[in-house]
Amino acid sequence: RSFWQCLLLACPGVIFGTFSTGLAAYWFLPEDKFTFTRSLPLCLSFGSILAATDPVAVVAILKQLGASPKLTMQITGESL
């Protein structure tokens, strides 16, 4: 029942997070400070690692705040 909402949160959110973090790393990290060559695919890989959410921490915060079970289910589904 919550599949489409989870999918809507997961796909665009992760893609946006990947590209925004990867492009920021590509533009702002100095190339001469690292032992590897900075490239766009490498920075996008870095962005994809940081774009994933931690479902355990988010669900713990939602339970602490008393959020509804439906919201908890959507956030858990999005992160998986």
Side-chain angles (χ1 to χ4, degrees):
R1 191 167 150 174
S2 299
F3 174 75
W4 292 110
Q5 293 171 342
C6 293
L7 189 67
L8 182 65
L9 287 171
C11 292
V14 171
I15 291 170
F16 175 75
T18 297
F19 278 95
S20 61
T21 306
L23 291 175
Y26 185 75
W27 286 329
F28 295 118
L29 291 178
E31 191 169 1
D32 58 341
K33 299 287 183 189
F34 301 106
T35 57
F36 55 86
T37 304
R38 182 185 64 184
S39 66
L40 187 58
L42 183 65
C43 288
L44 290 177
S45 298
F46 174 70
S48 69
I49 292 169
L50 294 181
T53 59
D54 181 14
V56 175
V58 173
V59 169
I61 291 171
L62 289 175
K63 285 184 180 179
Q64 191 175 29
L65 293 175
S68 70
K70 185 175 180 180
L71 178 63
T72 304
M73 169 73 123
Q74 289 174 347
I75 298 297
T76 304
E78 180 270 332
S79 63
L80 295 176

